[in-house]
Amino acid sequence: MGSLSIRTKLQLIINGLVLVICVSTVLVFYRQVHLAVLHQIRERLSSVASCIAVQNQPDSIRLRPEGESTPSYKRTKAQLRRLMAANPEIKDIYTMRPGKKPMVWEFVVDADDKEPDAVGEEYDVTPYPELRAALSRPSAEPEVIRDKWGYWISGYAPIKDASGRSIGIVGVAMSVDQFNQEMAGVHAIGILAITLAIFASVVLGQAICSFFTGKISALVERLNAAAHGDLSTLADDSRKDEIGDVARAFNHLILSLQRKDKMIRETNTDYLTGLNNHRYFQQRLRVELAKADENSTHVGLLMIDIDLFKLVNDSLGHTVGDEILRQVAGLLMQNVADNQTVSRYGGEEFAVILPDTGAEEAEETAKRLHQIITEASFEVQPERVNQSKAGHHSTIALTVSMGVAAYPLHSKKQDGLIMAADIALHQAKHTGRDRVCAYNTIKEAHIDPYEVYTFIHDPSKSAIEALAAAVDARDHYTRNHSEQVSKYALMIGRGLGLKEGEIELLRKAGLLHDVGKIGIPDYVLNKPSSLTKEEAGIIRTHPAMGESIIRKSRNLDAVLPAILHHHERYDGKGYPARLAGKDIPLLARIIGVADAFDALQANRPYRKSLTAQEAVNELRKNSGMQFDPEIVEAFVSQIELTTESTFLDKAA
């Protein structure tokens, strides 16, 4: 096409358009004629069927299967054959009646001698709604039908008894050959019309092309320029004829494309802060990771969340909140390098991509930005807060929490890297806020955060089990812990007579109860000696961490209370909410007992493992204080009922 002249191109286009219009018109006409002929045939068939039905005696439809040799059968057969002879276009006439089975009818009399007579032969009428409808009114098939006897167009009418009740139907069938004969003339007209359409498209195309070629060359050039991305120049639309109309339409198109091009550029920008939006962040991160793979370098990622931002919105108003978001965005943009990308990730969260940056350098950058933001003062309109100070400006201070991750150290997949930074951000928020936390790994039991991402988007049984196994692998002291807790929780649930739905929730909660340990630093999780008060506080964040992670997943809302509250105590001295007694969710109380029973049998730096019997004794000792007494007794009863020689003796 590139070597063809504008005249030839235009002629081909016009020829094609005219041909499409003409052929489409012919096809529509042909279809309408086809339907009209078919409608006439259907009307004729249903009319013939109605006439034949009137002439049939009701006794002819009540013949018994053994009645083929009776005078009544022979008389009806002869009558149908005479009627078929009187209507040459009809190739078969038959009568049918509803059978004893639903949707199965019986043949009674058939005028065609090609098939052996069989009164009572069954026929499935499920595919033929018009045949079934014939019990109440004359009808005909809307299209050609195919059955074991060939291709037909059939019409039907009801046979009624003296009381007017329909007791059967008459069916008349026309061979499809007859229909094709009636359509043969239409076929010929259609072929002629298409031929004329082709000829007309060529002639008309040449005429139109000759008239317009010289006048629209400039317009074609502008169109080609626009096709290559030049949207800056408009065509001369001063003419008042059709060429001017085309030029004006072209200019309207160019202006529309200019607006859309601007919108496309703006879709990468957050409307509130002016930063890159979430969509652009994903695209840019993909590009930077590809570069890192190509050059064997690293990419750092920071996730930043303004602490307690909901309180800002609630106390100062959303207008002030929006202004603070803009000021934080500006502060971030002023303090990152040119090759580093700042985006608004969503809500009060921001993300910073750090090309050619390893984990340690990324953490240092995060600490620097954290200090800049926490030391800054953010201006707000005081009338939003206190009307008495109208006309003056006030400032407020903010704190932020930051999560840090690095590629490929923490994950070799984009979604895994984002999840690593997000988990680190959760760790920062749940350990007191106003701090920077980096995602933690250990060589012996590395959890790729992509496993967490996969689980969140597909919380299937296998994904839950895989995530639980990965979490347990991080803790040297609790191998297979989650699986054991799930097993014990199921025992308790059955002992309490819980329903199957609650039993299934217990299974999931048992496997996922410690998922928050993903965010616990390795030096705390696997410390070989007793924990300090600060380290114990970090450990105590894992239920809330787990609840935050699981909340992102689908269809797991029902297990969230069990995960968040499985370390509450019956006497109210537990964590994180210091709930007591029956205020603690039932599933959480069950998981608490199952968790403690398995943990007591594991070696710890500060104590040796207990036997199963010793663990049971500890449960009973703390019943009513740490544990729900009813749940403890239900668990012990289930253990004692175990058939493996007795669970306690064997374990001991």
Side-chain angles (χ1 to χ4, degrees):
M1 287 292 288
S3 60
L4 299 178
S5 66
I6 294 176
R7 177 188 176 89
T8 304
K9 293 177 183 178
L10 184 59
Q11 183 171 345
L12 289 174
I13 293 172
I14 293 173
N15 287 351
L17 289 174
V18 174
L19 181 60
V20 168
I21 293 171
C22 292
V23 171
S24 299
T25 303
V26 170
L27 291 177
V28 170
F29 171 76
Y30 176 81
R31 178 61 180 168
Q32 292 301 317
V33 173
H34 173 92
L35 293 175
V37 172
L38 183 60
H39 178 72
Q40 291 177 355
I41 291 175
R42 293 178 70 239
E43 289 289 324
R44 200 157 65 239
L45 288 173
S46 60
S47 178
V48 171
S50 296
C51 292
I52 295 172
V54 171
Q55 300 176 55
N56 260 271
Q57 296 298 321
D59 289 344
S60 67
I61 208 69
R62 298 193 179 104
L63 293 172
R64 297 177 179 274
E66 64 273 11
E68 295 174 7
S69 59
T70 63
S72 178
Y73 176 84
K74 293 178 179 179
R75 185 167 56 252
T76 302
K77 176 106 173 173
Q79 181 187 24
L80 294 183
R81 292 191 57 76
R82 285 194 302 273
L83 291 168
M84 192 166 71
N87 296 274
E89 63 184 351
I90 303 301
K91 300 304 179 184
D92 191 20
I93 303 175
Y94 53 89
T95 60
M96 297 182 72
R97 63 192 176 200
K100 297 179 181 179
K101 303 175 184 176
M103 306 305 287
V104 176
W105 287 23
E106 300 174 348
F107 280 103
V108 183
V109 183
D110 193 330
D112 188 2
D113 285 333
K114 295 179 181 179
E115 292 290 333
D117 294 324
V119 176
E121 179 183 348
E122 293 184 340
Y123 189 74
D124 182 7
V125 297
T126 304
Y128 309 108
E130 291 296 333
L131 188 153
R132 303 195 305 271
L135 277 176
S136 58
R137 56 174 174 76
S139 63
E141 295 294 343
E143 295 288 350
V144 174
I145 60 173
R146 179 186 180 186
D147 57 19
K148 63 182 181 179
W149 295 287
Y151 292 88
W152 307 89
I153 301 177
S154 296
Y156 317 102
I159 299 174
K160 300 183 179 181
D161 60 15
S163 66
R165 184 173 62 89
S166 296
I167 57 176
I169 63 107
V170 165
V172 296
M174 173 191 288
S175 169
V176 75
D177 294 335
Q178 179 72 21
F179 173 69
N180 290 337
Q181 289 175 9
E182 298 196 23
M183 288 297 297
V186 180
H187 293 162
I189 294 173
I191 293 172
L192 177 61
I194 291 175
T195 304
L196 291 175
I198 296 173
F199 177 76
S201 68
V202 173
V203 174
L204 189 59
Q206 288 179 338
I208 296 174
C209 186
S210 298
F211 181 76
F212 284 112
T213 299
K215 299 179 181 180
I216 64 173
S217 296
L219 186 59
V220 172
E221 291 177 3
R222 284 298 313 124
L223 186 61
N224 288 330
H228 289 85
D230 180 7
L231 305 178
S232 59
T233 307
L234 299 178
D236 179 10
D237 59 359
S238 61
R239 297 174 62 101
K240 303 301 181 182
D241 57 9
E242 288 80 0
I243 296 296
D245 292 339
V246 174
R248 282 185 285 276
F250 170 79
N251 289 343
H252 179 74
L253 174 64
I254 293 298
L255 291 173
S256 176
L257 290 174
Q258 289 175 349
R259 287 192 296 270
K260 290 183 178 179
D261 183 63
K262 181 181 179 181
M263 288 174 61
I264 290 172
R265 291 195 302 271
E266 290 177 350
T267 55
N268 290 328
T269 304
D270 176 59
Y271 74 96
L272 179 63
T273 62
L275 296 177
N276 302 306
N277 61 13
H278 185 276
R279 175 176 175 271
Y280 181 82
F281 162 75
Q282 295 282 359
Q283 294 174 345
R284 190 65 198 170
L285 183 58
R286 188 176 299 111
V287 170
E288 294 298 342
L289 296 185
K291 289 181 181 179
D293 282 338
E294 184 178 350
N295 301 320
S296 300
T297 57
H298 309 276
V299 177
L301 178 62
L302 312 183
M303 299 293 286
I304 305 169
D305 184 273
I306 301 176
D307 294 329
L308 303 175
F309 189 71
K310 184 177 184 300
L311 294 180
V312 175
N313 278 330
D314 291 345
S315 60
L316 304 182
H318 288 276
T319 302
V320 172
D322 290 347
E323 177 58 30
I324 288 175
L325 288 174
R326 284 190 284 267
Q327 292 183 41
V328 172
L331 202 57
L332 289 171
M333 285 297 296
Q334 294 168 17
N335 290 279
V336 298
D338 291 340
N339 69 331
Q340 295 171 346
T341 303
V342 181
S343 304
R344 186 183 179 194
Y345 192 75
E348 65 272 22
E349 286 191 47
F350 301 88
V352 183
I353 302 172
L354 309 173
D356 301 318
T357 305
E360 293 183 3
E361 187 180 352
E363 189 170 359
E364 288 302 316
T365 300
K367 290 177 178 178
R368 178 176 60 83
L369 292 175
H370 176 267
Q371 182 177 0
I372 290 171
I373 293 173
T374 54
E375 291 179 354
S377 295
F378 298 91
E379 290 189 354
V380 298
Q381 292 286 347
E383 58 266 24
R384 308 282 184 192
V385 186
N386 189 334
Q387 294 294 336
S388 65
K389 297 181 180 180
H392 300 277
H393 287 276
S394 293
T395 60
I396 64 171
L398 296 175
T399 63
V400 293
S401 298
M402 292 190 178
V404 183
Y407 175 92
L409 174 64
H410 296 139
S411 182
K412 296 181 180 179
K413 295 182 181 292
Q414 178 169 331
D415 294 319
L417 178 65
I418 296 172
M419 182 56 64
D422 193 50
I423 291 172
L425 176 60
H426 281 300
Q427 180 186 343
K429 294 184 76 67
H430 288 295
T431 53
R433 304 185 187 90
D434 189 21
R435 64 189 62 200
V436 174
C437 288
Y439 184 74
N440 294 279
T441 60
I442 53 175
K443 295 181 179 179
E444 294 82 1
H446 172 57
I447 295 181
D448 187 338
Y450 186 72
E451 294 180 36
V452 183
Y453 171 84
T454 302
F455 156 75
I456 286 173
H457 289 80
D458 176 28
S460 60
K461 179 180 179 181
S462 58
I464 291 174
E465 291 173 347
L467 180 60
V471 171
D472 288 346
R474 288 198 65 209
D475 191 336
H476 294 163
Y477 305 106
T478 58
R479 303 288 178 165
N480 301 319
H481 172 65
S482 297
E483 182 180 347
Q484 289 295 107
V485 170
S486 180
K487 181 181 76 173
Y488 297 146
L490 293 181
M491 291 172 63
I492 296 171
R494 294 190 179 99
L496 293 173
L498 299 186
K499 297 178 180 178
E500 282 304 314
E502 293 174 303
I503 294 292
E504 177 60 17
L505 290 178
L506 273 177
R507 184 187 69 80
K508 294 177 180 178
L511 289 171
L512 296 171
H513 75 287
D514 273 348
V515 73
K517 288 184 177 179
I518 292 173
I520 302 302
D522 301 326
Y523 76 89
V524 175
L525 192 63
N526 291 293
K527 186 177 180 180
S529 57
S530 298
L531 300 178
T532 64
K533 183 178 180 180
E534 180 182 358
E535 292 165 345
I538 293 174
I539 284 288
R540 288 187 171 201
T541 65
H542 82 268
M545 275 283 296
E547 194 259 1
S548 297
I549 292 171
I550 301 303
R551 185 176 293 279
K552 296 176 182 290
S553 187
R554 298 171 296 169
N555 305 322
L556 288 176
D557 289 349
V559 305
L560 295 178
I563 294 171
L564 179 62
H565 297 295
H566 72 276
H567 277 295
E568 305 285 359
R569 287 175 55 102
Y570 201 70
D571 58 10
K573 297 179 181 179
Y575 61 90
R578 299 183 69 84
L579 300 180
K582 303 301 181 181
D583 289 340
I584 305 170
L586 174 61
L587 300 189
R589 281 178 272 144
I590 294 173
I591 296 297
V593 171
D595 183 32
F597 182 73
D598 189 66
L600 288 168
Q601 297 176 78
N603 283 316
R604 292 292 181 182
Y606 48 85
R607 61 157 175 80
K608 293 182 178 180
S609 63
L610 304 182
T611 65
Q613 183 61 64
E614 290 170 337
V616 166
N617 294 339
E618 281 294 311
L619 292 181
R620 281 179 163 160
K621 177 181 176 181
N622 289 279
S623 178
M625 293 181 293
Q626 183 175 353
F627 308 116
D628 183 333
E630 181 182 356
I631 291 175
V632 170
E633 290 309 312
F635 185 34
V636 173
S637 297
Q638 285 295 301
I639 292 176
E640 292 174 345
L641 289 174
T642 303
T643 56
E644 300 178 3
S645 159
T646 77
F647 180 95
L648 296 178
D649 292 342
K650 190 171 184 179

